Structure formats: C-alpha cells, structure tokens
Amino acid sequence: MTTADHYTYRITWSAEDEAYVATVAEFPSLSWLDADRTGALHGVEALLQDVLDELRASAEPIPLSLADRSYSGRFQVRIPPEVHRRLATEAAEQGVSLNRLVTARLAG
C-alpha cells in the first residue's frame, strides 16, 4: 500500500506569503503553507494522505511515487540538427562519445 512518505516533497520560502510552502512533485495541485518548515512538511503530508485515502476509497488510480518507479536510464531528446552537429563535433574533439558528452552535461 502506497503511503504519503514515499512521495517527493519540496519546501521553499514564499516571500509573497511570508511562509514556507510545501509541495508534492507527483501531485502538483497540492501545497501547504506554514510559518515553520516542519509544519509545512507535516501539513502537506497529512493532506496527501487524505487524498490517497480518498483515491483508495473511490477505487481511483493512485500515481506511483517517483521513488517507487523503475527507470531504464534511457530517454530520447529531440534537438535541432545544428545543435546535434555542434555536440557531435565537440565530442569528437574531446575523444568521447556523444552519449558521454551529453551525459556529463546533464549531470553537471
């Protein structure tokens, strides 16, 4: 059973609200404001648990958490031909594969 603690949270300061805002990556419509960072996290966790309970009760699908998903390590990116040429040239000049060059760029 998926619980709220498996999901991906972010807590940031909102100058506009003068409070911390906690969000859930897998549920972008959910957020919780609190004057305290910990309070913001606990608030959005409780809110998400309520949402998960409601989804379960109505037999609706529950999004898998990012942490519980499997990743192949592969994805496709479309780029303009001139960018592809420039990257291929740079990779050749460095003596590395295009894949290695792009992986290093993405990781950096």
Side-chain angles (χ1 to χ4, degrees), residues 20-60:
Y20 290 97
V21 59
T23 56
V24 186
E26 297 87 346
F27 290 81
S29 64
L30 299 182
S31 64
W32 191 271
L33 289 173
D34 200 289
D36 179 70
R37 288 177 59 88
T38 303
L41 175 60
H42 291 311
V44 80
E45 283 178 321
L47 176 61
L48 177 57
Q49 191 61 60
D50 289 345
V51 169
L52 294 173
D53 293 343
E54 288 176 19
L55 289 172
R56 256 186 228 96
S58 62
E60 292 184 53

mmCIF file of all heavy atoms in Angstrom, residues 20-60:
data_model
loop_
_atom_site.group_PDB
_atom_site.id
_atom_site.type_symbol
_atom_site.label_atom_id
_atom_site.label_comp_id
_atom_site.label_asym_id
_atom_site.label_seq_id
_atom_site.Cartn_x
_atom_site.Cartn_y
_atom_site.Cartn_z
ATOM 1 N N TYR A 20 6.524 29.251 4.669
ATOM 2 C CA TYR A 20 7.090 28.134 3.909
ATOM 3 C C TYR A 20 5.961 27.461 3.150
ATOM 4 O O TYR A 20 4.845 27.329 3.664
ATOM 5 C CB TYR A 20 7.766 27.133 4.847
ATOM 6 C CG TYR A 20 9.027 27.676 5.445
ATOM 7 C CD1 TYR A 20 9.029 28.242 6.708
ATOM 8 C CD2 TYR A 20 10.220 27.634 4.726
ATOM 9 C CE1 TYR A 20 10.192 28.753 7.258
ATOM 10 C CE2 TYR A 20 11.390 28.141 5.273
ATOM 11 C CZ TYR A 20 11.366 28.704 6.532
ATOM 12 O OH TYR A 20 12.519 29.212 7.063
ATOM 13 N N VAL A 21 6.251 27.040 1.937
ATOM 14 C CA VAL A 21 5.272 26.314 1.142
ATOM 15 C C VAL A 21 5.856 24.938 0.825
ATOM 16 O O VAL A 21 6.979 24.817 0.367
ATOM 17 C CB VAL A 21 4.866 27.072 -0.147
ATOM 18 C CG1 VAL A 21 6.056 27.346 -1.041
ATOM 19 C CG2 VAL A 21 3.797 26.320 -0.910
ATOM 20 N N ALA A 22 5.083 23.923 1.143
ATOM 21 C CA ALA A 22 5.482 22.543 0.866
ATOM 22 C C ALA A 22 4.638 22.034 -0.295
ATOM 23 O O ALA A 22 3.426 22.269 -0.344
ATOM 24 C CB ALA A 22 5.281 21.671 2.097
ATOM 25 N N THR A 23 5.292 21.351 -1.232
ATOM 26 C CA THR A 23 4.604 20.805 -2.394
ATOM 27 C C THR A 23 4.991 19.343 -2.574
ATOM 28 O O THR A 23 5.966 18.868 -1.990
ATOM 29 C CB THR A 23 4.954 21.589 -3.670
ATOM 30 O OG1 THR A 23 6.377 21.582 -3.839
ATOM 31 C CG2 THR A 23 4.463 23.036 -3.587
ATOM 32 N N VAL A 24 4.233 18.647 -3.425
ATOM 33 C CA VAL A 24 4.466 17.235 -3.723
ATOM 34 C C VAL A 24 4.650 17.122 -5.230
ATOM 35 O O VAL A 24 3.737 17.459 -5.987
ATOM 36 C CB VAL A 24 3.275 16.358 -3.279
ATOM 37 C CG1 VAL A 24 3.596 14.883 -3.465
ATOM 38 C CG2 VAL A 24 2.876 16.660 -1.847
ATOM 39 N N ALA A 25 5.808 16.647 -5.675
ATOM 40 C CA ALA A 25 6.103 16.589 -7.106
ATOM 41 C C ALA A 25 5.074 15.764 -7.875
ATOM 42 O O ALA A 25 4.669 16.137 -8.971
ATOM 43 C CB ALA A 25 7.504 16.027 -7.335
ATOM 44 N N GLU A 26 4.637 14.655 -7.323
ATOM 45 C CA GLU A 26 3.714 13.761 -8.009
ATOM 46 C C GLU A 26 2.267 14.268 -7.999
ATOM 47 O O GLU A 26 1.428 13.777 -8.751
ATOM 48 C CB GLU A 26 3.744 12.355 -7.382
ATOM 49 C CG GLU A 26 5.082 11.661 -7.492
ATOM 50 C CD GLU A 26 6.050 11.998 -6.347
ATOM 51 O OE1 GLU A 26 5.797 12.972 -5.607
ATOM 52 O OE2 GLU A 26 7.035 11.279 -6.197
ATOM 53 N N PHE A 27 1.975 15.246 -7.146
ATOM 54 C CA PHE A 27 0.642 15.845 -7.047
ATOM 55 C C PHE A 27 0.803 17.368 -7.094
ATOM 56 O O PHE A 27 0.715 18.046 -6.061
ATOM 57 C CB PHE A 27 -0.048 15.434 -5.735
ATOM 58 C CG PHE A 27 -0.453 13.993 -5.675
ATOM 59 C CD1 PHE A 27 0.472 13.015 -5.352
ATOM 60 C CD2 PHE A 27 -1.760 13.617 -5.931
ATOM 61 C CE1 PHE A 27 0.098 11.678 -5.281
ATOM 62 C CE2 PHE A 27 -2.141 12.285 -5.864
ATOM 63 C CZ PHE A 27 -1.208 11.310 -5.544
ATOM 64 N N PRO A 28 1.044 17.934 -8.270
ATOM 65 C CA PRO A 28 1.376 19.360 -8.367
ATOM 66 C C PRO A 28 0.284 20.321 -7.889
ATOM 67 O O PRO A 28 0.569 21.481 -7.595
ATOM 68 C CB PRO A 28 1.682 19.577 -9.846
ATOM 69 C CG PRO A 28 1.213 18.365 -10.550
ATOM 70 C CD PRO A 28 1.093 17.261 -9.555
ATOM 71 N N SER A 29 -0.946 19.850 -7.757
ATOM 72 C CA SER A 29 -2.011 20.747 -7.298
ATOM 73 C C SER A 29 -2.053 20.873 -5.777
ATOM 74 O O SER A 29 -2.776 21.724 -5.247
ATOM 75 C CB SER A 29 -3.364 20.264 -7.812
ATOM 76 O OG SER A 29 -3.674 18.997 -7.264
ATOM 77 N N LEU A 30 -1.276 20.064 -5.055
ATOM 78 C CA LEU A 30 -1.290 20.112 -3.587
ATOM 79 C C LEU A 30 -0.180 20.996 -3.049
ATOM 80 O O LEU A 30 0.950 20.948 -3.520
ATOM 81 C CB LEU A 30 -1.116 18.705 -3.001
ATOM 82 C CG LEU A 30 -2.166 17.668 -3.339
ATOM 83 C CD1 LEU A 30 -1.847 16.363 -2.618
ATOM 84 C CD2 LEU A 30 -3.555 18.154 -2.990
ATOM 85 N N SER A 31 -0.504 21.784 -2.037
ATOM 86 C CA SER A 31 0.515 22.578 -1.339
ATOM 87 C C SER A 31 0.003 22.897 0.059
ATOM 88 O O SER A 31 -1.184 22.793 0.346
ATOM 89 C CB SER A 31 0.828 23.873 -2.101
ATOM 90 O OG SER A 31 -0.305 24.711 -2.148
ATOM 91 N N TRP A 32 0.956 23.296 0.925
ATOM 92 C CA TRP A 32 0.612 23.636 2.307
ATOM 93 C C TRP A 32 1.515 24.775 2.758
ATOM 94 O O TRP A 32 2.730 24.701 2.599
ATOM 95 C CB TRP A 32 0.812 22.433 3.210
ATOM 96 C CG TRP A 32 0.229 22.625 4.577
ATOM 97 C CD1 TRP A 32 0.851 23.172 5.664
ATOM 98 C CD2 TRP A 32 -1.093 22.292 4.980
ATOM 99 N NE1 TRP A 32 -0.002 23.182 6.714
ATOM 100 C CE2 TRP A 32 -1.211 22.648 6.328
ATOM 101 C CE3 TRP A 32 -2.184 21.718 4.330
ATOM 102 C CZ2 TRP A 32 -2.386 22.451 7.043
ATOM 103 C CZ3 TRP A 32 -3.337 21.517 5.055
ATOM 104 C CH2 TRP A 32 -3.440 21.888 6.401
ATOM 105 N N LEU A 33 0.918 25.818 3.307
ATOM 106 C CA LEU A 33 1.671 26.965 3.831
ATOM 107 C C LEU A 33 1.752 26.874 5.346
ATOM 108 O O LEU A 33 0.777 26.508 6.005
ATOM 109 C CB LEU A 33 0.981 28.279 3.471
ATOM 110 C CG LEU A 33 1.012 28.710 2.014
ATOM 111 C CD1 LEU A 33 0.130 29.926 1.824
ATOM 112 C CD2 LEU A 33 2.423 28.995 1.576
ATOM 113 N N ASP A 34 2.922 27.255 5.885
ATOM 114 C CA ASP A 34 3.084 27.284 7.334
ATOM 115 C C ASP A 34 4.250 28.208 7.670
ATOM 116 O O ASP A 34 5.176 28.337 6.876
ATOM 117 C CB ASP A 34 3.360 25.878 7.870
ATOM 118 C CG ASP A 34 3.072 25.750 9.354
ATOM 119 O OD1 ASP A 34 3.852 26.332 10.153
ATOM 120 O OD2 ASP A 34 2.097 25.088 9.709
ATOM 121 N N ALA A 35 4.199 28.821 8.819
ATOM 122 C CA ALA A 35 5.294 29.701 9.252
ATOM 123 C C ALA A 35 6.553 28.907 9.578
ATOM 124 O O ALA A 35 7.650 29.459 9.618
ATOM 125 C CB ALA A 35 4.855 30.509 10.475
ATOM 126 N N ASP A 36 6.408 27.603 9.776
ATOM 127 C CA ASP A 36 7.508 26.718 10.152
ATOM 128 C C ASP A 36 7.741 25.681 9.052
ATOM 129 O O ASP A 36 6.779 25.122 8.511
ATOM 130 C CB ASP A 36 7.123 26.020 11.471
ATOM 131 C CG ASP A 36 8.176 25.049 11.944
ATOM 132 O OD1 ASP A 36 9.252 25.504 12.368
ATOM 133 O OD2 ASP A 36 7.910 23.827 11.864
ATOM 134 N N ARG A 37 9.018 25.422 8.731
ATOM 135 C CA ARG A 37 9.336 24.433 7.684
ATOM 136 C C ARG A 37 8.751 23.054 7.997
ATOM 137 O O ARG A 37 8.158 22.399 7.148
ATOM 138 C CB ARG A 37 10.859 24.279 7.537
ATOM 139 C CG ARG A 37 11.558 25.426 6.900
ATOM 140 C CD ARG A 37 13.076 25.195 6.869
ATOM 141 N NE ARG A 37 13.440 23.990 6.145
ATOM 142 C CZ ARG A 37 13.672 23.931 4.829
ATOM 143 N NH1 ARG A 37 13.605 25.024 4.112
ATOM 144 N NH2 ARG A 37 13.993 22.795 4.256
ATOM 145 N N THR A 38 8.936 22.633 9.223
ATOM 146 C CA THR A 38 8.443 21.318 9.627
ATOM 147 C C THR A 38 6.926 21.272 9.572
ATOM 148 O O THR A 38 6.344 20.283 9.136
ATOM 149 C CB THR A 38 8.950 20.969 11.038
ATOM 150 O OG1 THR A 38 10.383 21.038 11.041
ATOM 151 C CG2 THR A 38 8.526 19.582 11.463
ATOM 152 N N GLY A 39 6.298 22.344 9.975
ATOM 153 C CA GLY A 39 4.836 22.422 9.912
ATOM 154 C C GLY A 39 4.329 22.339 8.484
ATOM 155 O O GLY A 39 3.302 21.693 8.213
ATOM 156 N N ALA A 40 5.039 22.960 7.560
ATOM 157 C CA ALA A 40 4.651 22.896 6.148
ATOM 158 C C ALA A 40 4.754 21.463 5.638
ATOM 159 O O ALA A 40 3.849 20.967 4.951
ATOM 160 C CB ALA A 40 5.518 23.835 5.317
ATOM 161 N N LEU A 41 5.837 20.789 5.984
ATOM 162 C CA LEU A 41 6.015 19.402 5.550
ATOM 163 C C LEU A 41 4.935 18.508 6.139
ATOM 164 O O LEU A 41 4.281 17.736 5.426
ATOM 165 C CB LEU A 41 7.401 18.882 5.938
ATOM 166 C CG LEU A 41 7.651 17.404 5.632
ATOM 167 C CD1 LEU A 41 7.505 17.114 4.143
ATOM 168 C CD2 LEU A 41 9.020 16.981 6.143
ATOM 169 N N HIS A 42 4.717 18.597 7.443
ATOM 170 C CA HIS A 42 3.707 17.748 8.081
ATOM 171 C C HIS A 42 2.312 18.046 7.533
ATOM 172 O O HIS A 42 1.500 17.126 7.351
ATOM 173 C CB HIS A 42 3.728 17.915 9.599
ATOM 174 C CG HIS A 42 4.959 17.358 10.234
ATOM 175 N ND1 HIS A 42 5.442 16.101 9.970
ATOM 176 C CD2 HIS A 42 5.809 17.892 11.136
ATOM 177 C CE1 HIS A 42 6.541 15.887 10.662
ATOM 178 N NE2 HIS A 42 6.793 16.967 11.384
ATOM 179 N N GLY A 43 2.046 19.314 7.246
ATOM 180 C CA GLY A 43 0.737 19.686 6.699
ATOM 181 C C GLY A 43 0.480 19.075 5.332
ATOM 182 O O GLY A 43 -0.591 18.515 5.085
ATOM 183 N N VAL A 44 1.460 19.171 4.434
ATOM 184 C CA VAL A 44 1.244 18.623 3.094
ATOM 185 C C VAL A 44 1.256 17.095 3.120
ATOM 186 O O VAL A 44 0.546 16.446 2.342
ATOM 187 C CB VAL A 44 2.238 19.208 2.061
ATOM 188 C CG1 VAL A 44 3.596 18.535 2.116
ATOM 189 C CG2 VAL A 44 1.657 19.135 0.654
ATOM 190 N N GLU A 45 2.025 16.488 4.018
ATOM 191 C CA GLU A 45 1.992 15.021 4.154
ATOM 192 C C GLU A 45 0.600 14.553 4.592
ATOM 193 O O GLU A 45 0.073 13.576 4.045
ATOM 194 C CB GLU A 45 3.027 14.545 5.172
ATOM 195 C CG GLU A 45 4.437 14.522 4.660
ATOM 196 C CD GLU A 45 5.424 14.088 5.734
ATOM 197 O OE1 GLU A 45 5.277 14.484 6.911
ATOM 198 O OE2 GLU A 45 6.360 13.351 5.378
ATOM 199 N N ALA A 46 0.015 15.233 5.568
ATOM 200 C CA ALA A 46 -1.323 14.869 6.040
ATOM 201 C C ALA A 46 -2.358 15.083 4.939
ATOM 202 O O ALA A 46 -3.260 14.249 4.743
ATOM 203 C CB ALA A 46 -1.684 15.679 7.283
ATOM 204 N N LEU A 47 -2.230 16.186 4.214
ATOM 205 C CA LEU A 47 -3.132 16.467 3.102
ATOM 206 C C LEU A 47 -3.030 15.365 2.046
ATOM 207 O O LEU A 47 -4.047 14.854 1.564
ATOM 208 C CB LEU A 47 -2.799 17.832 2.495
ATOM 209 C CG LEU A 47 -3.593 18.253 1.263
ATOM 210 C CD1 LEU A 47 -5.079 18.342 1.581
ATOM 211 C CD2 LEU A 47 -3.060 19.596 0.745
ATOM 212 N N LEU A 48 -1.817 14.983 1.691
ATOM 213 C CA LEU A 48 -1.624 13.931 0.698
ATOM 214 C C LEU A 48 -2.184 12.607 1.198
ATOM 215 O O LEU A 48 -2.816 11.877 0.435
ATOM 216 C CB LEU A 48 -0.147 13.777 0.331
ATOM 217 C CG LEU A 48 0.151 12.638 -0.645
ATOM 218 C CD1 LEU A 48 -0.637 12.782 -1.943
ATOM 219 C CD2 LEU A 48 1.637 12.554 -0.915
ATOM 220 N N GLN A 49 -1.979 12.293 2.464
ATOM 221 C CA GLN A 49 -2.528 11.039 2.989
ATOM 222 C C GLN A 49 -4.042 11.031 2.862
ATOM 223 O O GLN A 49 -4.634 10.008 2.500
ATOM 224 C CB GLN A 49 -2.102 10.815 4.444
ATOM 225 C CG GLN A 49 -2.420 9.419 4.939
ATOM 226 C CD GLN A 49 -1.703 8.335 4.132
ATOM 227 O OE1 GLN A 49 -0.491 8.292 4.076
ATOM 228 N NE2 GLN A 49 -2.470 7.461 3.502
ATOM 229 N N ASP A 50 -4.689 12.171 3.112
ATOM 230 C CA ASP A 50 -6.146 12.264 2.936
ATOM 231 C C ASP A 50 -6.534 12.023 1.475
ATOM 232 O O ASP A 50 -7.499 11.312 1.185
ATOM 233 C CB ASP A 50 -6.667 13.632 3.384
ATOM 234 C CG ASP A 50 -6.625 13.829 4.884
ATOM 235 O OD1 ASP A 50 -6.472 12.822 5.634
ATOM 236 O OD2 ASP A 50 -6.733 14.995 5.326
ATOM 237 N N VAL A 51 -5.770 12.611 0.549
ATOM 238 C CA VAL A 51 -6.041 12.422 -0.878
ATOM 239 C C VAL A 51 -5.866 10.956 -1.257
ATOM 240 O O VAL A 51 -6.702 10.380 -1.977
ATOM 241 C CB VAL A 51 -5.135 13.334 -1.739
ATOM 242 C CG1 VAL A 51 -5.206 12.959 -3.211
ATOM 243 C CG2 VAL A 51 -5.508 14.798 -1.541
ATOM 244 N N LEU A 52 -4.791 10.323 -0.786
ATOM 245 C CA LEU A 52 -4.564 8.909 -1.079
ATOM 246 C C LEU A 52 -5.704 8.047 -0.538
ATOM 247 O O LEU A 52 -6.176 7.126 -1.221
ATOM 248 C CB LEU A 52 -3.227 8.442 -0.496
ATOM 249 C CG LEU A 52 -1.964 9.064 -1.112
ATOM 250 C CD1 LEU A 52 -0.731 8.636 -0.326
ATOM 251 C CD2 LEU A 52 -1.837 8.704 -2.580
ATOM 252 N N ASP A 53 -6.164 8.347 0.672
ATOM 253 C CA ASP A 53 -7.274 7.601 1.264
ATOM 254 C C ASP A 53 -8.545 7.764 0.431
ATOM 255 O O ASP A 53 -9.280 6.798 0.198
ATOM 256 C CB ASP A 53 -7.530 8.047 2.707
ATOM 257 C CG ASP A 53 -6.395 7.676 3.654
ATOM 258 O OD1 ASP A 53 -5.561 6.807 3.295
ATOM 259 O OD2 ASP A 53 -6.338 8.274 4.754
ATOM 260 N N GLU A 54 -8.801 8.983 -0.053
ATOM 261 C CA GLU A 54 -9.983 9.236 -0.889
ATOM 262 C C GLU A 54 -9.879 8.499 -2.225
ATOM 263 O O GLU A 54 -10.869 7.940 -2.706
ATOM 264 C CB GLU A 54 -10.146 10.735 -1.137
ATOM 265 C CG GLU A 54 -10.600 11.504 0.083
ATOM 266 C CD GLU A 54 -10.662 13.013 -0.163
ATOM 267 O OE1 GLU A 54 -10.701 13.437 -1.346
ATOM 268 O OE2 GLU A 54 -10.664 13.759 0.824
ATOM 269 N N LEU A 55 -8.684 8.502 -2.825
ATOM 270 C CA LEU A 55 -8.494 7.785 -4.091
ATOM 271 C C LEU A 55 -8.739 6.291 -3.896
ATOM 272 O O LEU A 55 -9.394 5.649 -4.721
ATOM 273 C CB LEU A 55 -7.086 8.033 -4.640
ATOM 274 C CG LEU A 55 -6.802 9.437 -5.175
ATOM 275 C CD1 LEU A 55 -5.322 9.593 -5.509
ATOM 276 C CD2 LEU A 55 -7.667 9.745 -6.390
ATOM 277 N N ARG A 56 -8.214 5.744 -2.797
ATOM 278 C CA ARG A 56 -8.415 4.328 -2.494
ATOM 279 C C ARG A 56 -9.902 4.015 -2.296
ATOM 280 O O ARG A 56 -10.423 3.028 -2.823
ATOM 281 C CB ARG A 56 -7.648 3.940 -1.230
ATOM 282 C CG ARG A 56 -6.402 3.178 -1.526
ATOM 283 C CD ARG A 56 -5.728 2.684 -0.252
ATOM 284 N NE ARG A 56 -4.322 3.029 -0.375
ATOM 285 C CZ ARG A 56 -3.747 4.098 0.129
ATOM 286 N NH1 ARG A 56 -4.404 4.942 0.856
ATOM 287 N NH2 ARG A 56 -2.465 4.333 -0.071
ATOM 288 N N ALA A 57 -10.577 4.869 -1.523
ATOM 289 C CA ALA A 57 -11.993 4.645 -1.208
ATOM 290 C C ALA A 57 -12.859 4.675 -2.466
ATOM 291 O O ALA A 57 -13.860 3.953 -2.552
ATOM 292 C CB ALA A 57 -12.480 5.685 -0.205
ATOM 293 N N SER A 58 -12.482 5.494 -3.431
ATOM 294 C CA SER A 58 -13.272 5.585 -4.660
ATOM 295 C C SER A 58 -12.707 4.709 -5.777
ATOM 296 O O SER A 58 -13.152 4.802 -6.920
ATOM 297 C CB SER A 58 -13.347 7.042 -5.118
ATOM 298 O OG SER A 58 -12.045 7.536 -5.407
ATOM 299 N N ALA A 59 -11.734 3.867 -5.435
ATOM 300 C CA ALA A 59 -11.112 2.928 -6.387
ATOM 301 C C ALA A 59 -10.510 3.634 -7.597
ATOM 302 O O ALA A 59 -10.484 3.083 -8.690
ATOM 303 C CB ALA A 59 -12.110 1.857 -6.810
ATOM 304 N N GLU A 60 -10.015 4.853 -7.388
ATOM 305 C CA GLU A 60 -9.343 5.590 -8.455
ATOM 306 C C GLU A 60 -7.856 5.235 -8.451
ATOM 307 O O GLU A 60 -7.307 4.862 -7.410
ATOM 308 C CB GLU A 60 -9.538 7.091 -8.260
ATOM 309 C CG GLU A 60 -10.973 7.534 -8.460
ATOM 310 C CD GLU A 60 -11.117 9.037 -8.366
ATOM 311 O OE1 GLU A 60 -10.388 9.740 -9.086
ATOM 312 O OE2 GLU A 60 -11.946 9.483 -7.559
#
